[in-house]
Amino acid sequence: MNSAHLVDALERGTLALFLGGDLPQALTGVPSRAEMARALARRHGLETSPSLAQVAQQVGRGGWRRAFTVFLREQLQDASPQSFHRRVVALAHEHGVQTLVSTAYDGLLQRAFDDAGVPVEVVWKDSQLAVAFQDRPLLIQLYGNPLADVESLVVTEDDHLDLWRDRRRASVLDEVKRALQRNTVLFLGYNLSDPDVRLLWREVLGRAGDLHRRAFAVWPSLPAAEVAVWADRGIEILAQDPWGLVDGGVAMRQPPAPATPPPAPSSMPAQLYQQVQRALLRCGPFRSDTALRPLFIDRRISLWHNSLPSANSPIERVQATIEHLFLKSNAEGTNALVLLLRVLRDQTSQGDACYGQLDKLAKKLDTLLKGQGSTAAT
């Protein structure tokens, strides 16, 4: 059963969620994109269309962008999180989902995280990503936030096409691409017959090409011809999601409770350990033992190439590597884990958000260890 692969990815810590705005209002508390498109078209006397991007493009002609911005705010301002949002938060929190990408405009998922007291970093532009706490899950609002930042909105057809040329979001888009390349992905709340989803595919998902890992989308009753089209694009269609997030029903298979994570090494603060673990998962080649070993050809860490531990999943591989390197140092007394962070940093473009994260963690860990005294010899 296809859902077994999703459940396995959740258990291994390699599942990313993409959440769209096409679910019905009865479920989310806000109109779907198609419902908003029809309402916006009626308000401005235009031919109705299921594509919000097309209608907004027409409304926005001649500098009238404010018209659909005000409309969106009116549609969303009185909404509150629903059971659907709370179920997503519970799944993400209980099983350590690290990346969630939302193309909904309502911001209700963020509020559901806040209501549950679950820390999450919410970003839609690079300036936010630069100061995000690395030990928290990342919620990327890919199409912006109309209530907090109207300039961030991606609504019209031109907005969609310009998204990948927006320098203010280069690092955020790198995070989206990285999520596709390193995780099994579940698309939830996307009407795959909607023209706007094809825009998303062409401008975001298609850019990952053959590099993206296995992906699934939940959309009941999609015609067989459409199922085949999306299969060619690398996305398998499911009639329902494995955990009943949409209907709250019985799961296809209930995921077990996550294993208790191993404790941080005794002299590393737990918060720093979580930051390092998250950065390595996001920025390093930990998807397999085979992918990781070439990294250790670098002379700074080649000393530990032949002693790297094997593991069955990315999260286990990261944890084993941290434990293996933390109490080791080279002949000059530099900690092996610090060296690993530096190697990864130096192999990353300076424009990539990972560069700054790895650099900051390498310095923080190095300062900590120097304050405690030298680590154990190799």
Side-chain angles (χ1 to χ4, degrees):
M1 181 181 288
N2 287 337
S3 62
H5 185 91
L6 281 171
V7 172
D8 182 65
L10 183 68
E11 294 171 0
R12 292 176 178 271
T14 58
L15 180 71
L17 295 175
F18 276 63
L19 303 161
D22 295 327
L23 293 171
Q25 185 169 3
L27 185 66
T28 64
V30 295
S32 68
R33 289 173 56 87
E35 291 167 336
M36 286 194 284
R38 288 189 287 269
L40 182 61
R42 287 194 298 269
R43 175 177 293 191
H44 291 274
L46 301 172
E47 183 178 350
T48 58
S49 166
S51 168
L52 182 60
Q54 291 176 0
V55 176
Q57 184 77 26
Q58 295 179 59
V59 172
R61 285 175 179 168
W64 279 88
R65 186 177 179 88
R66 183 176 181 276
F68 65 74
T69 301
V70 170
F71 171 81
L72 282 178
R73 292 171 67 93
E74 290 173 355
Q75 298 292 305
L76 305 174
Q77 62 185 357
D78 295 326
S80 58
Q82 305 296 303
S83 296
F84 164 71
H85 303 101
R86 291 189 283 272
R87 287 194 289 268
V88 172
V89 170
L91 181 78
H93 179 54
E94 292 170 10
H95 297 279
V97 175
Q98 297 184 61
T99 305
L100 303 95
V101 180
S102 174
T103 55
Y105 297 114
D106 50 61
L108 294 179
L109 190 57
Q110 176 186 358
R111 289 173 57 186
F113 271 100
D114 293 341
D115 291 348
V118 177
V120 65
E121 290 295 324
V122 182
V123 303
W124 56 85
K125 54 188 177 183
D126 289 1
S127 59
Q128 298 165 321
L129 187 62
V131 296
F133 287 99
Q134 300 308 309
D135 58 336
R136 297 178 180 178
L138 191 65
L139 171 56
I140 299 173
Q141 293 184 332
L142 188 61
Y143 288 173
N145 187 320
L147 301 180
D149 181 6
V150 295
E151 297 298 323
S152 68
L153 281 179
V154 176
V155 184
T156 69
E157 291 176 311
D158 285 350
D159 291 341
H160 284 81
L161 297 174
D162 289 342
L163 179 61
W164 275 86
R165 293 189 288 270
D166 189 345
R167 294 184 178 181
R168 298 170 302 171
R169 306 189 196 199
S171 295
V172 170
L173 292 168
D174 282 343
E175 287 291 336
V176 174
K177 187 173 181 180
R178 190 175 293 112
L180 289 164
Q181 292 172 345
R182 298 184 178 179
N183 297 279
T184 295
V185 176
L186 174 63
F187 294 94
L188 199 60
Y190 289 93
N191 180 349
L192 300 179
S193 299
D194 189 328
D196 293 355
V197 176
R198 288 193 285 273
L199 278 174
L200 174 69
W201 165 258
R202 184 168 64 247
E203 295 306 313
V204 180
L205 310 180
R207 290 176 181 266
D210 293 334
L211 297 177
H212 74 74
R213 299 181 68 180
R214 198 167 180 182
F216 300 85
V218 177
W219 197 258
S221 304
L222 191 69
E226 287 289 314
V227 171
V229 168
W230 285 104
D232 290 341
R233 293 168 175 164
I235 298 180
E236 298 182 44
I237 307 302
L238 302 176
Q240 66 180 118
D241 67 275
W243 304 287
L245 296 174
V246 172
D247 59 16
V250 177
M252 297 179 191
R253 172 182 159 203
Q254 188 64 30
T260 302
S266 58
S267 54
M268 187 191 299
Q271 184 177 18
L272 179 57
Y273 175 84
Q274 292 297 325
Q275 291 172 348
V276 172
Q277 175 179 286
R278 180 176 171 83
L280 292 181
L281 272 173
R282 181 179 296 175
C283 305
F286 286 87
R287 61 186 179 276
S288 68
D289 294 337
T290 303
L292 178 61
R293 291 190 182 281
L295 181 68
F296 282 76
I297 295 175
D298 188 290
R299 61 180 179 79
R300 288 170 288 181
I301 53 177
S302 60
L303 185 63
W304 302 285
H305 177 274
N306 294 329
S307 60
L308 280 174
S310 297
N312 295 320
S313 70
I315 185 65
E316 292 173 355
R317 192 167 294 108
V318 165
Q319 292 167 348
T321 301
I322 292 174
E323 183 176 355
H324 180 63
L325 297 181
F326 181 68
L327 296 179
K328 292 180 171 58
S329 60
N330 64 11
E332 289 75 34
T334 305
N335 179 265
L337 185 55
V338 171
L339 291 171
L340 172 62
L341 291 168
R342 290 175 180 172
V343 169
L344 283 171
R345 175 201 63 191
D346 294 344
Q347 293 187 5
T348 303
S349 168
Q350 292 192 22
D352 192 312
C354 276
Y355 183 93
Q357 296 167 15
L358 294 164
D359 183 61
K360 184 182 298 184
L361 287 171
K363 291 175 180 176
K364 183 183 293 188
L365 182 58
D366 191 43
T367 299
L368 170 72
L369 293 173
K370 286 178 178 177
Q372 294 177 347
S374 60
T375 54
T378 304

